[in-house]
Amino acid sequence: MTGEGTGPMDDKKNEKKTPAEQEKAAVWDKINDEAEMLRRRTTPVYMKQRIMDALPEAPEPAKPWYKKVLDK
């Protein structure tokens, strides 16, 4: 196992980047940070309860697809 900074990809990280590459990297870093924030977000408990309260008590019995088509 290699230590940090000794792998072949680390040589590319240490090279000088052009301003365009730096800007592109900054945009992707921001996108990744926002995506991680959204992954960690959860629904509040009160909202889960409101959703459950809005659901009907008993669902309608399922109809075969051909009856659904003919009812239209």
Side-chain angles (χ1 to χ4, degrees), residues 2-67:
T2 62
E4 283 189 33
T6 60
M9 295 303 289
D10 293 324
D11 294 337
K12 291 191 177 214
K13 289 181 185 176
N14 293 332
E15 291 178 7
K16 299 285 183 187
K17 292 184 179 180
T18 64
E21 290 172 330
Q22 289 175 349
E23 184 176 329
K24 194 180 288 187
V27 167
W28 280 107
D29 287 341
K30 183 177 179 182
I31 290 171
N32 289 332
D33 290 343
E34 289 179 8
E36 185 62 30
M37 177 191 63
L38 292 173
R39 273 188 220 105
R40 293 174 190 250
R41 188 175 288 173
T42 59
T43 304
V45 175
Y46 74 90
M47 185 58 70
K48 287 182 183 178
Q49 189 58 46
R50 286 179 60 191
I51 292 169
M52 295 306 293
D53 291 343
L55 293 175
E57 291 299 320
E60 293 180 20
K63 287 184 178 179
W65 65 269
Y66 54 87
K67 287 188 177 182

